[in-house]
Amino acid sequence: MFYSLDLSHFPKVTKVYSVTRKTVWQVADPYNIFIYVEKGCCLIEINGEEHMVEEGSLLFIPEGQSYKRSPVGDTFCTMTYIHFKSGEITPLSIAELKGEIIKRRDGINKSILENGIDESPYTAYLLECSDFSGREGDFSDAFSRLRKNFSRHHIESGLETSLALCEILALMTEETREKIKDETRIERAVPPNLRRALSFIKQNYTEEITLSDIAKHSSVTKQQIIRYFRKELKTTPMQYVNYCRLNRAKELFLSKSYQTVSEVASEVGFSDVHYFSRVFKKINGETPSEFIERIRNFDEKKHLSE
């Protein structure tokens, strides 16, 4: 079984503890649970499926899901339990998971091309049972910090505990994608150099930036970055800068926070208000003044009746 876990809101760890047992235990917990096997082995049954877990195994059990833990022979098993609250959890078949990951990748690429950054909501993809044996390092570090910070009672300890949990969720998502990577290969993603260029523009378009600045922050020549933009976006880097500026200008006009065209032009990175007006009309088909007049005189009731 696979799961998608909505991370629109920060997950919160509610309980962390370790047990060493060789008894049968069955329960349905009101919180999500991670069970990390630190030593020994045991059988854990979830959804009618038995998992033989041993050192390095990490199980995910969603809230309200009944599970049964049984010993293997006379063997003790040492496990750490992490209980936590999160956003919505959706069980997925392998076919649904493949579709979800492809859709997510497409959404990320679309958001980067249109906005310069990934603005889609965060989601983790989890296997019911993962194996991190022989893959210590980052996982062990995040796991140790989670356990350590949960036992502290400082102002920042809850935040640091949740951050460590997010690292574990990211590692589990990577593990899940690795399991099915050959079956979810899609068309190439946004080239890294173009991704860096879009991110740089998104963060700096209100400042005075040049083609040389964009190329430098993308680690390519000016000619190469022009080719990237023409191939992927059918525009040039500096035209894209102006698109970002004008989109922001329209947002400011709509908010009515500014009284003059000159103020908005300066806010979005144009030092010359006349040049701003020319570019605005060329792209939008009307001057800034005409745009402002139109939105201020918009009659919503008349529009709905039509």
Side-chain angles (χ1 to χ4, degrees), residues 27-45:
V27 71
D29 200 273
Y31 296 117
N32 305 311
I33 304 174
F34 280 137
I35 301 177
Y36 180 56
V37 181
E38 297 194 67
K39 188 176 181 181
C41 62
C42 64
L43 287 171
I44 295 183
E45 182 182 332

Side-chain angles (χ1 to χ4, degrees), residues 45-50 65-66:
E45 182 182 332
I46 313 170
N47 289 316
E49 181 178 353
E50 279 193 341
Q65 172 66 59
S66 176

Side-chain angles (χ1 to χ4, degrees), residues 100-209:
E100 281 283 319
I101 289 179
I102 291 173
K103 182 180 178 181
R104 171 82 170 123
R105 283 285 300 275
D106 286 344
I108 290 172
N109 291 336
K110 184 175 185 292
S111 182
I112 289 171
L113 289 173
E114 292 180 351
N115 306 309
I117 57 174
D118 174 19
E119 295 183 331
S120 51
Y122 295 126
T123 305
Y125 297 102
L126 313 178
L127 282 165
E128 198 164 63
C129 183
S130 301
D131 181 13
F132 285 94
S133 58
R135 295 183 57 200
E136 287 79 7
D138 290 341
F139 175 78
S140 294
D141 181 55
F143 182 75
S144 297
R145 282 188 287 107
L146 184 150
R147 190 160 47 181
K148 175 184 175 182
N149 282 298
F150 186 80
S151 64
R152 300 166 66 211
H153 300 288
H154 298 168
I155 290 174
E156 70 277 12
S157 59
L159 176 61
E160 291 178 350
T161 302
S162 290
L163 287 172
L165 175 61
C166 285
E167 286 186 50
I168 292 172
L169 290 169
L171 289 166
M172 291 189 73
T173 298
E174 181 183 0
E175 170 80 2
T176 302
R177 291 181 61 237
E178 186 70 20
K179 292 285 185 183
I180 59 171
K181 67 178 183 179
D182 291 335
E183 300 180 63
T184 56
R185 295 190 184 279
I186 57 174
E187 290 72 23
R188 60 189 169 73
V190 178
N193 300 105
L194 178 58
R195 190 185 295 254
R196 286 194 289 271
L198 294 172
S199 179
F200 173 73
I201 291 171
K202 188 69 175 180
Q203 296 175 49
N204 297 279
Y205 67 85
T206 59
E207 306 297 328
E208 183 178 345
I209 57 177

